[in-house]
Amino acid sequence: MQRIPARVFTLLLLLLASAVDRTAQAVEKPDPGDWPNWRGPEQNGISRESGLIDRWDPEGENVLWKNTEISTVSTPIVMHGKVYLLSRDAIETPSEGEKVVCLDANTGKKIWEHKFNVYLTDVPAERVAWSSVVGDPATGRVYAMGVCGYFCCLDGETGKPLWTRSLSEEFGLLSTYGGRTNVPILFEDLVITSAVIIGWGDMARPAHRFLAMDKNTGEVVWFNGTSPLPDDTTYSTPVISVIDGEALMIFGSGDGGLHAFQPRTGKPVWKYNFSRRGINTSPVVVDGIVYCGHSEENMDNTTMGAVAAIQGSLKGLPPEEPPSAPKPAPPGAPPAVKLGRNITQTNTLWLKKEIGIGKCSPVVIDGRVYALDDSGGLYVFNAADGKQIGKKQKLGTMMRASLIYGDGKLYACSVDGRFYVLKPSDKGCDIVHRLRLPQGEEVYGSPIIAHGRIYLPTTAALYCIGDKEAKNSSGDVQQLPAETPVSNDPQPAFVQVVPVEAQVKPGEKVQFEVRLFNSNGQFLKKSKAEFSVDAHGTISPDGEYLADSSAQHTASTVTAQVGDLQGMARVRIIPDLPWSFDISDGEVPLPWVGARYRHIVRELDGDPVMVKVTTIPKGTRSQAWMGRTDLHDYTIQADIRGAMRGDKLPDIGLIAQRYTLDLRGVEQELQIRSWTSQLGRFSKTVPLKWEPDKWYTLKFRAEAQGDKAVLRGKVWERGTPEPQEWQIEATDNAPNLVGSPGLFGNATNAEIFLDNIQVTPN
């Protein structure tokens, strides 16, 4: 018998292992009774189940279980007999953070929890866990994004992290005091999430951007956004639909528009200008019609709030006029953002203004739109023409939980715990049952329906509500319309280069892959391409990129040419420590995340220095990261100087291992912290007087000592001997053990100057 060559044998083993891994991941068909994302299996708040309760009592009637160890503002999901949700952890303790919790859906008993720290954010503790997890029925995995941009893929059975990313440090996710944290969605082999992101290079200006990652590896497949410099953050979860045979991801954006992107490519298809500020509700799509609301200022006048029905199809529209020749951009200007076709003037079916549907996503049932305004008013509209049915019904004083529908009933709950069971009627809705949760128990997350039960999250407990004796039927989940067959359009129209974002050390390699898609955003095939790279590296004909061994804190753009089509990807080149930056080239280092838009270079006393100015819109208080989230046990120092405006100084800080050392101007103190708005979690502050218009050297050291992190800082007048002793020292018993070096600054009061930045291993 012929012997199998060693290389072939090894390849066969790898293929077998891969097949076994895929088999282990695979599970039975999705259960129609599961609720795998916060809006349900159809992404619309609708359950097809029967046998649901029409009354209950928090003290006993139809309460199957109540877990008082769980308090949350998040919406749970149910998948494979388990409840998954985000929650605060160790509340009001020095180890407070965030966690994903898994419970037995039948008993409410905890199976596992995955805890993680909250770091480098202004989010108040009360707004932790404002996102929701999403489950993948195909693999049993669970995906979650924390308030600080920590993103994880977890094994649904064990809670073991399979891969994680820090989206703030890696991409510039903006985590604000408002706390809005978007909910990931799954589509085929992608997990997609978004935020207002302040990136690097041509993405240095903030925009509401989406990251589509390979759900198995976390590799970034596409990265795109809407208009730059949005007025707001956003809390709108995208909905996947198929309109005119084309799969679309439809969402409300921070720029106030409703947008449709192709979910496989990130290519914009259309935009509808809806609001002057960010949209927080999720749209609902029925038969190609998009229903959505907002509670911000309208586009054409000063009225507040609206609800609308928008035709999501581009069929029947006249061809777009070719754009006029663009004016030459000034040197260094960012490239124009490519948005989809503007359908604002052509595709409005109906629009009702001065109705604030801004927090609760609507549901559409049997030709009616049911929508809750922010102050607890329930509206019912005819879906075809927007005519209001009956009068507005008052259900509470404030609404944050979205409506859900099942078994012919609507379920609603106000923030102050007023719970309603409603039935559609000729006049709108009849109240079948109402109750009040215990005093002080509030509801921000939405109720969900799974396997004949309603799960209600509150700030005091998680309730499982159902009738033990009822016969439940799951019904059939309505599937999306079919896409146009790929065979109808086999011509390539889009080139995708994967990974679209990468980070390497000098001399390291990245293997790129080229994928072709048709005009409908459908995958055609992997392809060869003519590769090129603009600088600081080489690339082989088969797409293997090699970073220059001498490259230091720079970047490359990789281009793949397939016929007349081009696709692009970006590579950041970050060397090992030590690092040194004297700004002598007059440039803010290109690959620093969140730095170039927030800082300029100016000559001061004959030398170029970095300046954080006071005039950046909504950007005078911000952070920037230098790269490599796996770094630890290092020291960062910089020469710093603060101007004075009026009688106020700025705040100037350095970041190490997800901690900040902040020289505070108004307070005249030096502070170490990790979670800005929750100093009780971990912080230390000492008084320290310093003066305007004088150079100082600020030094910050982070190191791991066993299961603790030790932080030390000092500051002294530049040009004088460095003090032997550290001026501030603190030990964190719930440590951050890795993290990117970076900068913090609050230039709201006055300008900040930086020079001679160094990062060295301890």
Side-chain angles (χ1 to χ4, degrees):
M1 184 171 64
Q2 187 175 9
R3 176 180 249 176
I4 300 175
R7 285 176 56 196
V8 175
F9 184 71
T10 301
L11 179 59
L12 288 171
L13 286 176
L14 289 172
L15 290 172
L16 178 61
S18 176
V20 170
D21 181 60
R22 287 195 298 271
T23 302
Q25 293 175 16
V27 295
E28 65 275 7
K29 288 174 61 177
D31 189 326
D34 280 352
W35 193 273
N37 68 74
W38 83 274
R39 287 291 277 161
E42 298 177 13
Q43 312 168 80
N44 58 6
I46 294 175
S47 168
R48 303 297 170 181
E49 297 193 43
S50 61
L52 302 178
I53 58 102
D54 55 13
R55 64 181 300 107
W56 70 288
D57 185 327
E59 301 304 320
E61 182 185 8
N62 285 332
V63 175
L64 300 179
W65 54 260
K66 175 183 177 181
N67 189 328
T68 56
E69 295 180 1
I70 299 297
S71 61
T72 187
V73 294
S74 177
T75 300
I77 67 167
V78 171
M79 183 178 70
H80 302 162
K82 299 178 179 64
V83 180
Y84 302 94
L85 74 162
L86 279 162
S87 177
R88 290 172 68 182
D89 180 55
I91 297 173
E92 301 295 340
T93 73
S95 58
E96 180 167 359
E98 195 168 1
K99 62 185 176 183
V100 179
V101 183
C102 172
L103 307 173
D104 185 298
N106 292 316
T107 65
K109 292 182 179 179
K110 184 173 67 178
I111 299 174
W112 56 257
E113 57 186 15
H114 173 62
K115 303 178 182 180
F116 48 92
N117 279 354
V118 178
Y119 52 86
L120 303 179
T121 177
D122 294 338
V123 173
E126 295 76 17
R127 294 177 181 178
V128 166
W130 266 29
S131 181
S132 297
V133 302
V134 62
D136 183 9
T139 63
R141 294 174 178 173
V142 176
Y143 300 83
M145 183 163 76
V147 290
C148 62
Y150 172 85
F151 195 97
C152 58
C153 167
L154 306 176
D155 184 296
E157 291 295 318
T158 65
K160 176 185 176 182
L162 301 176
W163 56 264
T164 66
R165 304 204 73 141
S166 178
L167 303 185
S168 56
E169 297 170 286
E170 293 184 73
F171 303 104
L173 175 144
L174 183 63
S175 178
T176 68
Y177 186 84
R180 294 175 188 162
T181 313
N182 290 83
V183 179
I185 66 166
L186 286 158
F187 179 72
E188 296 178 347
D189 60 348
L190 299 176
V191 57
I192 305 170
T193 194
S194 76
V196 174
I197 288 176
I198 308 169
W200 64 275
D202 58 8
M203 291 187 177
R205 292 190 302 167
H208 179 200
R209 295 190 171 103
F210 284 81
L211 280 159
M213 297 169 278
D214 185 302
K215 70 179 185 180
N216 295 310
T217 65
E219 183 178 62
V220 183
V221 175
W222 61 260
F223 190 10
N224 200 12
T226 62
S227 305
L229 306 180
D231 282 334
D232 209 351
T233 55
T234 179
Y235 198 49
S236 176
T237 305
V239 170
I240 301 293
S241 189
V242 176
I243 300 177
D244 294 338
E246 181 178 10
L248 297 175
M249 182 182 77
I250 300 170
F251 59 92
S253 179
D255 67 2
L258 284 167
H259 295 257
F261 280 14
Q262 293 178 348
R264 299 182 185 96
T265 66
K267 179 183 176 181
V269 176
W270 55 254
K271 175 187 179 181
Y272 181 90
N273 296 320
F274 195 28
S275 165
R276 292 185 184 274
R277 293 178 60 85
I279 296 174
N280 293 312
T281 57
S282 295
V284 176
V285 184
V286 180
D287 297 330
I289 310 301
V290 181
Y291 301 90
C292 197
H294 74 81
S295 57
E296 303 294 341
E297 189 174 347
N298 287 300
M299 296 296 297
D300 55 353
N301 54 41
T302 59
T303 59
M304 301 291 288
V307 59
I310 301 151
Q311 174 57 257
S313 171
L314 298 181
K315 282 188 177 179
L317 296 181
E320 281 190 290
E321 294 183 9
S324 57
K327 296 179 180 179
V337 176
K338 296 180 180 179
L339 300 175
R341 178 164 186 170
N342 191 327
I343 62 171
T344 310
Q345 301 301 319
T346 58
N347 285 39
T348 303
L349 298 180
W350 53 263
L351 175 68
K352 301 289 184 179
K353 294 184 179 179
E354 299 187 73
I355 300 174
I357 312 296
K359 303 296 188 298
C360 306
S361 300
V363 294
V364 181
I365 310 153
D366 298 332
R368 290 179 168 189
V369 180
Y370 297 84
L372 289 165
D373 71 15
D374 297 354
S375 60
L378 174 63
Y379 289 85
V380 184
F381 302 99
N382 186 299
D385 57 16
K387 182 179 179 181
Q388 187 171 339
I389 300 171
K391 296 181 179 180
K392 179 179 76 169
Q393 291 176 271
K394 191 69 171 174
L395 301 184
T397 57
M398 186 186 300
M399 286 288 185
R400 295 295 180 267
S402 293
L403 286 167
I404 57 170
Y405 174 84
D407 195 20
K409 297 179 279 285
L410 287 157
Y411 299 92
C413 196
S414 65
V415 169
D416 62 356
R418 302 170 195 262
F419 189 95
Y420 297 86
V421 182
L422 308 153
K423 279 193 175 181
S425 67
D426 292 341
K427 296 181 180 180
C429 273
D430 293 333
I431 297 175
V432 175
H433 175 64
R434 73 178 85 194
L435 61 87
R436 185 75 176 264
L437 294 174
Q439 186 71 27
E441 197 164 348
E442 296 185 325
V443 178
Y444 294 88
S446 301
I448 68 168
I449 299 170
H451 298 282
R453 300 170 175 183
I454 296 171
Y455 296 84
L456 176 66
T458 79
T459 55
L462 178 65
Y463 292 86
C464 177
I465 309 158
D467 183 349
K468 293 180 181 179
E469 307 302 323
K471 292 184 178 180
N472 171 253
S473 173
S474 295
D476 294 325
V477 173
Q478 292 191 0
Q479 302 300 314
L480 293 175
E483 293 183 61
T484 301
V486 177
S487 58
N488 287 17
D489 183 12
Q491 296 302 313
F494 188 90
V495 175
Q496 186 177 81
V497 185
V498 180
V500 72
E501 292 273 326
Q503 184 184 124
V504 297
K505 299 177 185 178
E508 282 190 341
K509 298 177 180 179
V510 179
Q511 181 62 57
F512 288 100
E513 179 180 280
V514 172
R515 303 170 184 175
L516 300 182
F517 296 80
N518 65 13
S519 60
N520 261 16
Q522 296 168 304
F523 176 71
L524 297 175
K525 63 180 180 179
K526 296 178 183 179
S527 174
K528 294 182 178 180
E530 293 183 18
F531 287 99
S532 61
V533 60
D534 64 343
H536 309 298
T538 59
I539 193 163
S540 68
D542 65 350
E544 185 179 75
Y545 166 87
L546 174 64
D548 287 348
S549 58
S550 60
Q552 300 286 311
H553 293 277
T554 188
S556 298
T557 299
V558 171
T559 301
Q561 186 85 31
V562 181
D564 295 332
L565 301 174
Q566 276 189 353
M568 304 180 78
R570 307 192 305 171
V571 184
R572 299 165 65 204
I573 305 171
I574 310 293
D576 284 326
L577 299 179
W579 303 339
S580 181
F581 311 93
D582 61 7
I583 323 298
S584 59
D585 62 356
E587 297 283 344
V588 176
L590 175 62
W592 285 8
V593 170
R596 281 206 165 185
Y597 174 72
R598 303 304 199 196
H599 299 80
I600 63 173
V601 175
R602 185 190 301 163
E603 197 166 283
L604 184 67
D605 300 329
D607 291 320
V609 298
M610 281 177 56
V611 186
K612 187 172 177 60
V613 297
T614 62
T615 55
I616 303 170
K618 299 183 180 180
T620 54
R621 177 185 172 87
S622 67
Q623 301 172 120
W625 290 276
M626 301 174 184
R628 301 276 304 281
T629 60
D630 60 344
L631 293 176
H632 57 89
D633 294 277
Y634 57 84
T635 301
I636 178 171
Q637 76 173 50
D639 292 342
I640 62 167
R641 174 170 165 168
M644 177 177 277
R645 187 168 62 174
D647 59 349
K648 294 182 178 180
L649 284 163
D651 298 340
I652 312 172
L654 301 175
I655 295 171
Q657 208 166 293
R658 299 175 181 166
Y659 297 93
T660 302
L661 176 67
D662 185 5
L663 184 61
R664 310 183 75 197
V666 173
E667 294 81 2
Q668 290 287 284
E669 60 190 23
L670 191 61
Q671 183 179 86
I672 293 175
R673 60 176 184 266
S674 179
W675 182 357
T676 303
S677 58
Q678 195 73 350
L679 298 181
R681 204 304 269 166
F682 166 78
S683 67
K684 187 170 183 179
T685 305
V686 298
L688 196 150
K689 291 186 177 182
W690 59 288
E691 301 175 14
D693 303 320
K694 180 182 289 188
W695 282 103
Y696 295 88
T697 300
L698 186 63
K699 189 171 186 177
F700 188 28
R701 173 171 292 181
E703 59 185 316
Q705 291 187 3
D707 59 353
K708 301 177 181 179
V710 179
L711 297 309
R712 300 181 176 95
K714 64 175 76 171
V715 59
W716 66 96
E717 192 173 335
R718 187 173 73 172
T720 64
E722 176 182 344
Q724 292 294 318
E725 302 297 324
W726 297 97
Q727 292 163 312
I728 185 170
E729 299 187 47
T731 299
D732 186 4
N733 294 320
N736 302 311
L737 297 177
V738 294
S740 170
L743 307 173
F744 167 79
N746 184 357
T748 304
N749 293 334
E751 290 186 334
I752 295 169
F753 303 88
L754 300 150
D755 198 6
N756 299 320
I757 301 165
Q758 301 175 32
V759 186
T760 56
N762 292 343

